[in-house]
């Protein structure tokens, strides 16, 4: 197949990498498109309706391996040729998948040992998706071969704007515990620890007599009678993320070679509730364009906060660059216990909330609802009800809205503060036998993020070893594992004038999950100006009262015996196991300040601490209505203020200087009206 057309010039950024789908001169709008589930007549209706809805790009081929390679080395690309040509004729860009998330049945016939094994030793079967041992040489070879074929055939096809490798690495299976994976794990450990002595020290194997005398004895952390070795489990989690990443990199490198200039992505799931096994800080550096899938917990209260948080994490792992929402849903999904519909306008609000936080588009799973298979009750842009439906009308309307926001593309979100997050620390904290089952890093991050959201602070996420000097305020809701480098970094940050706010059970262990020598919190003692003599976890449902400068908040789950060593006490425990001792402290160090919160504060308490930390950081309070999300993006073409009204009441916010509202095309004066449930975008 010969495609003489050359690609449009793509905007390139860092190190000459193409960072945006080639030839896509608009925000991305579309969805996963599975035409292989339909007769070809339907494809013509699809592209016509895509045009009607303003679709600019679709993701294709993600699950098509079995159709493209029907037996080892037997290929059938004819249908995909016709499909890509059809999309190209209609001006729709293709995000072309490598179908490596579902190897065909023939592959498992030849390599049954490429099916993954659970921790308990159960081997999964073919018949669903994502059943892959990512250490399997047979899988490496076969996935490279199909990727190579796709790269050769479509590397310069004029429809192809973006490569979509695999699908959501890390779910539904991340780790495989088979013997092949065990050998791979040992090789990975061999690179990290040159000698077995080093490994024994790192894992603290003198405890419970776990020392190794031969590498071959080292295995994955399979089911053990009681708590396993924490160092081993933590390294296994790191290995798992790395082993998955190596699979992505293998395919990416093939595509870079065969399809130069076309960016390569893989869809992340950065919401902390959706994929736990991937260190997205490392992955963000390897993709050309960061893309993300986000699904609301439909029954969740104020679930737009989780959406905002996921978008902020995604933008942060993209280094602040624009990213792309590759999947969300037009309505109900099919995999939650109760799959609630989205309310009128909610889909647009969700989409534009992602755009507000840096996504240069909004894509969905999926274009047309499937008639069969496990996802037939999942919503789509084109639902079973067809075009005479509310969802379709909203889809067409959203296409128009995104069409009028084209200038926003490439602009960057302005953040007020940062929240530290480290997947590795999370993995460590989740291991068994912690001082309380209430210790939950994700829950802490959610609570602190929500508190900042309610103060209308836009947050970047940052790794604890990142340069933080650009942020006046840094929140640390849960940093159990704190490396020496992070410890120095946080100290430098505060001494240089930053304001730090840290929550309990942070700074406790090093990278091997060994307690930092001396009193807790070893890595943060100096910056916080205190030590913790004993942890004093609370009973289930027990609360403690605090007394201090603002209100009488309560804490639950956790308390501690805090001993100030330079820090001043701001709130004191009024009752409970730590009665009379400091509960919330503030330490001045160099030109900055470090706050410490030693209990799980209720929302009012957390807000009060945050208010004081904001004052230290020079961040003024914002008088904006609750659940009206205001975010700014700034770029070469202007400043764009997004205001998303998640409430059922009309809202008004001040807008000094006014501007032009882009969705309605109307001029805006000194204030902006945002009708209930809608979004407004003002070019200032
Ligand atoms: C995503 C996945 C899609 C589809 C969707 C349903 O996680 O990437 O293929 O399964 O969920 O919500």
């Amino acid at each position: 197949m010969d495609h003489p057309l050359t690609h449009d010039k793509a905007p390139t950024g860092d190190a000459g990498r193409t960072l945006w789908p080639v030839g896509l001169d608009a925000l991305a709008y579309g969805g996963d498109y599975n035409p292989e589930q339909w007769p070809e007549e339907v494809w013509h209706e699809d592209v016509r309706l895509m045009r009607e809805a303003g679709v600019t790009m679709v993701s294709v081929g993600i699950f098509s391996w079995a159709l493209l390679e029907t037996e080892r080395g037997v290929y059938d690309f004819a249908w995909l040729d016709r499909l890509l040509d059809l999309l190209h004729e209609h001006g729709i860009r293709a995000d072309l998948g490598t179908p490596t998330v579902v190897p065909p049945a023939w592959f498992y016939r030849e390599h049954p040992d490429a099916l993954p094994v659970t921790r308990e030793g159960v081997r999964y079967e073919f018949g669903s998706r994502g059943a892959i041992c990512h250490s399997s040489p047979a899988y490496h070879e076969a996935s490279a071969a199909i990727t190579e074929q796709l790269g050769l055939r479509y590397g310069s096809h004029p429809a192809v704007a973006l490569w979509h490798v695999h699908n959501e690495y890390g779910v539904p299976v991340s780790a495989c515990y088979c013997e092949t994976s065990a050998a791979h794990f040992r090789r990975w450990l061999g690179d990290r620890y040159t000698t077995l002595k080093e490994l024994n020290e790192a894992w603290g194997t003198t405890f419970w007599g776990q020392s190794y005398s031969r590498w071959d004895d080292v295995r994955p952390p399979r089911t053990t009678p009681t708590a396993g070795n924490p160092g081993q489990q933590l390294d296994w989690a790191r290995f798992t993320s790395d082993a998955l990443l190596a699979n992505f990199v293998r395919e990416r490198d093939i595509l870079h070679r065969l399809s130069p200039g076309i960016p390569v992505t893989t869809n992340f799931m950065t919401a902390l509730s959706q994929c736990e096994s991937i260190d997205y800080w490392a992955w963000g550096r390897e993709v050309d364009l960061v893309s993300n899938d986000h699904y609301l917990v439909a029954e969740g209260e104020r679930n737009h906060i989780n959406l905002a948080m996921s978008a902020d994490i995604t933008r942060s792992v993209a280094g602040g660059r624009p990213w792309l929402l590759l999947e969300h849903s037009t309505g109900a999904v099919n995999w939650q216990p109760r799959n609630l519909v989205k309310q009128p306008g909610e889909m647009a609000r969700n989409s534009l909330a992602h755009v507000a936080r840096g996504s240069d588009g909004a894509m969905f799973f999926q274009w047309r609802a499937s008639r069969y298979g496990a996802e037939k009750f999942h919503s789509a842009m084109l639902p079973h009800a067809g075009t005479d439906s509310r969802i379709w009308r909203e889809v067409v309307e959203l296409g128009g809205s995104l069409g009028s926001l084209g200038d926003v593309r490439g602009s960057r979100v302005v953040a007020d503060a940062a929240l530290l997050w480290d997947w590795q620390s999370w993995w460590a904290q989740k291991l068994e036998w912690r001082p309380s089952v209430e210790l939950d890093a994700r829950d802490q991050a959610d609570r602190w993020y929500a508190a900042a959201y309610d103060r209308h602070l836009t947050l970047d996420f940052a790794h604890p070893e990142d340069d933080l000097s650009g942020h006046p305020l840094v929140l640390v809701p849960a940093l159990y594992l704190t490396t020496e480098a992070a410890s120095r970094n946080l100290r430098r940050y505060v001494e240089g004038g930053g304001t730090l706010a840290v929550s309990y059970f942070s700074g406790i262990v090093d990278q091997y999950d060994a307690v930092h020598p001396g009193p807790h919190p070893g890595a943060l003692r100096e910056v916080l100006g205190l030590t913790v003599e004993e942890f004093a976890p609370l009973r289930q449902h027990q609360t403690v009262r605090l007394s201090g400068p603002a209100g009488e908040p309560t804490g639950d789950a956790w308390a501690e015996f805090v001993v100030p060593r330079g820090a001043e006490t701001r709130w004191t425990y009024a009752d409970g196991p730590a009665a009379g001792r400091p509960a919330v402290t503030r330490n001045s160090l160099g030109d900055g300040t470090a706050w410490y919160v030693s209990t799980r504060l209720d929302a009012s308490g957390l807000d009060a601490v945050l208010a004081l930390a904001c004052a230290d950081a020079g961040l003024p309070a914002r008088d904006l209505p609750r659940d009206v999300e205001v975010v700014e993006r700034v770029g070469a073409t202007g400043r764009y203020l997004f205001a998303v009204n998640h409430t059922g009441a009309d809202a008004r916010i001040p807008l000094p200087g006014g501007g032009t509202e882009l969705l309605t095309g109307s001029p805006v004066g000194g204030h902006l009206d945002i009708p209930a449930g809608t979004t407004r975008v003002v070019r200032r």
Side-chain angles (χ1 to χ4, degrees):
M1 189 179 51
D2 188 21
H3 282 289
L5 282 180
T6 50
H7 295 295
D8 306 0
K9 197 172 169 333
T12 56
D14 320 13
R17 287 193 299 156
T18 310
L19 305 172
W20 183 245
V22 172
L24 182 56
D25 295 323
L27 294 181
Y29 186 49
D32 280 25
Y33 178 34
N34 301 307
E36 60 273 42
Q37 296 174 12
W38 299 89
E40 277 192 44
E41 314 74 272
V42 177
W43 302 4
H44 294 273
E45 185 189 35
D46 284 329
V47 286
R48 180 175 61 75
L49 291 174
M50 284 175 191
R51 298 287 304 181
E52 187 178 319
V55 163
T56 58
M57 184 166 79
V58 289
S59 304
V60 293
I62 298 170
F63 298 104
S64 305
W65 193 345
L67 293 180
L68 294 171
E69 188 177 4
T70 52
E71 284 288 335
R72 171 174 303 284
V74 180
Y75 299 105
D76 175 9
F77 290 113
W79 68 271
L80 189 53
D81 292 351
R82 290 196 296 280
L83 177 76
L84 290 174
D85 289 347
L86 182 69
L87 291 173
H88 182 57
E89 261 166 52
H90 289 80
I92 296 160
R93 312 298 293 143
D95 166 31
L96 180 55
T98 67
T100 51
V101 67
V102 185
W106 61 256
F107 171 78
Y108 294 113
R109 186 204 313 137
E110 292 180 6
H111 303 285
D113 54 356
L115 286 161
V117 175
T118 65
R119 191 174 183 198
E120 296 75 25
V122 176
R123 199 178 278 282
Y124 283 121
E125 252 304 347
F126 175 77
S128 175
R129 67 193 242 182
I132 296 162
C133 165
H134 281 277
S135 295
S136 156
Y139 173 74
H140 296 166
E141 199 184 308
S143 59
I146 184 68
T147 302
E148 178 101 14
Q149 289 299 318
L150 286 164
L152 284 168
R153 194 164 187 93
Y154 302 115
S156 55
H157 189 290
V160 177
L162 176 67
W163 287 100
H164 178 304
V165 167
H166 200 268
N167 192 67
E168 293 178 343
Y169 280 102
V171 289
V173 178
S174 52
C176 167
Y177 292 76
C178 73
E179 280 307 318
T180 306
S181 304
H184 189 191
F185 183 41
R186 285 189 288 272
R187 290 197 298 279
W188 182 91
L189 290 168
D191 289 341
R192 195 175 168 90
Y193 308 102
T194 31
T195 63
L196 210 46
K197 180 167 175 286
E198 261 180 70
L199 176 130
N200 277 313
E201 276 167 19
W203 288 6
T205 52
T206 48
F207 180 81
W208 280 357
Q210 294 165 357
S211 307
Y212 294 99
S213 54
R214 278 183 56 172
W215 277 102
D216 282 355
D217 295 334
V218 180
R219 300 202 175 90
R222 296 180 179 133
T223 308
T224 46
T226 182
N229 180 298
Q232 178 195 16
Q233 296 186 73
L234 183 53
D235 270 345
W236 175 254
R238 293 178 174 125
F239 158 76
T240 299
S241 180
D242 283 359
L244 292 168
L245 183 57
N247 281 273
F248 167 75
V249 167
R250 180 179 312 108
E251 293 191 30
R252 179 205 64 191
D253 289 351
I254 293 170
L255 296 169
H256 278 171
R257 173 164 53 79
L258 297 175
S259 186
I262 305 294
V264 180
T265 192
T266 183
N267 43 346
F268 293 173
M269 297 195 91
T270 63
L272 303 181
S273 46
Q274 285 168 355
C275 178
E276 304 193 354
S277 55
I278 286 190
D279 182 349
Y280 286 115
W281 290 124
W283 284 62
R285 293 191 288 271
E286 300 293 342
V287 296
D288 297 326
L289 168 69
V290 166
S291 63
N292 194 49
D293 298 349
H294 182 265
Y295 289 93
L296 290 176
V297 178
E299 286 186 84
E301 245 181 80
R302 300 180 77 207
N303 54 15
H304 50 273
I305 301 182
N306 177 273
L307 182 159
M309 183 168 165
S310 168
D312 285 346
I313 298 176
T314 309
R315 180 187 68 255
S316 303
V317 300
R321 293 180 206 88
W323 54 280
L324 180 56
L325 176 70
L326 215 46
E327 290 182 26
H328 70 315
S329 70
T330 58
V333 299
N334 65 305
W335 43 266
Q336 295 180 6
R338 284 160 290 273
N339 297 294
L340 274 52
V341 293
K342 288 196 177 178
Q343 294 302 307
E346 190 175 354
M347 172 189 73
R349 217 159 54 235
N350 295 160
S351 301
L352 295 171
H354 281 291
V355 176
R357 291 176 189 271
S359 174
D360 274 354
M363 312 256 303
F364 294 91
F365 178 85
Q366 59 179 330
W367 163 252
R368 184 187 276 272
S370 306
R371 281 191 48 230
Y372 42 78
E375 294 184 322
K376 55 185 166 295
F377 300 123
H378 196 290
S379 59
M381 298 174 84
L382 185 56
H384 291 299
T387 52
D388 185 13
S389 62
R390 173 176 73 96
I391 284 191
W392 176 254
R393 283 183 284 275
E394 291 193 25
V395 161
V396 173
E397 196 183 330
L398 177 59
S401 299
L402 292 171
S404 58
L405 296 180
D407 284 352
V408 167
R409 188 159 76 84
S411 60
R412 294 194 175 205
V413 171
V414 182
D416 300 298
L419 188 147
L420 293 196
W421 180 255
D422 178 13
W423 276 272
Q424 300 196 18
S425 174
W426 185 28
W427 299 335
Q429 201 208 288
K430 277 191 304 180
L431 298 175
E432 61 265 79
W433 288 11
R434 298 311 182 208
S436 169
V437 294
E438 305 287 347
L439 288 166
D440 180 341
R442 189 180 106 201
D443 173 65
Q444 281 291 104
D446 285 347
R447 285 167 188 257
W448 281 56
Y449 184 90
Y453 184 95
D454 283 343
R455 297 194 70 78
H456 298 280
L457 296 170
T458 302
L459 297 184
D460 277 340
F461 280 69
H463 185 274
E465 294 175 18
D466 283 348
D467 175 12
L468 301 168
S469 56
H471 298 287
L473 174 66
V474 172
L475 308 179
V476 189
L479 192 62
Y480 164 69
L481 183 160
T482 309
T483 60
E484 293 291 341
S487 164
R488 283 193 300 276
N489 191 40
L490 295 181
R491 196 188 156 129
R492 194 164 44 234
Y493 167 71
V494 173
E495 284 172 343
T499 301
L500 191 70
V502 178
S503 184
Y504 58 86
F505 213 52
S506 296
I508 306 296
V509 298
D510 67 11
Q511 56 175 320
Y512 306 115
D513 196 51
V515 171
H516 284 289
H520 302 309
L524 299 174
R525 281 191 302 253
E526 287 184 22
V527 74
L528 297 173
L530 53 81
T531 56
V532 171
E533 195 181 317
E534 270 184 74
F535 300 140
L538 302 180
R539 295 191 160 83
Q540 194 177 14
H541 308 307
Q542 182 184 1
T543 55
V544 288
R545 284 183 306 112
L546 272 57
S547 63
E552 291 218 333
T554 60
D556 69 351
W558 189 258
E560 295 174 337
F561 298 173
V562 172
V563 183
R565 312 231 180 235
E568 37 168 331
T569 301
R570 302 305 300 270
W571 272 269
T572 305
Y573 287 104
D575 56 18
R581 296 173 184 265
V584 178
T585 62
R586 177 182 183 274
N587 189 40
S588 299
L589 185 73
D591 296 332
T593 306
W595 288 82
Y596 184 60
V597 178
S598 70
T599 182
R600 190 166 75 183
L601 281 176
D602 62 21
S604 73
L606 197 47
D607 182 65
V609 174
L610 210 49
L612 293 171
C614 282
D616 281 336
L619 289 168
R622 293 202 173 111
D623 188 17
L624 295 168
R626 181 175 149 102
D627 286 330
V628 175
E629 193 171 323
V630 179
V631 182
E632 204 168 16
R633 290 184 62 165
V634 177
T637 57
R639 298 178 79 85
Y640 303 92
L641 180 121
F642 285 73
V644 190
N645 184 350
H646 295 286
T647 78
D650 296 347
R652 167 172 288 193
I653 62 170
L655 195 76
T660 307
E661 205 291 314
L662 297 176
L663 300 176
T664 56
S666 337
V668 184
H671 63 256
L672 174 66
D673 288 315
I674 314 129
T678 67
T679 302
R680 292 289 178 256
V681 185
V682 180
R683 188 208 299 264
R684 310 184 77 182

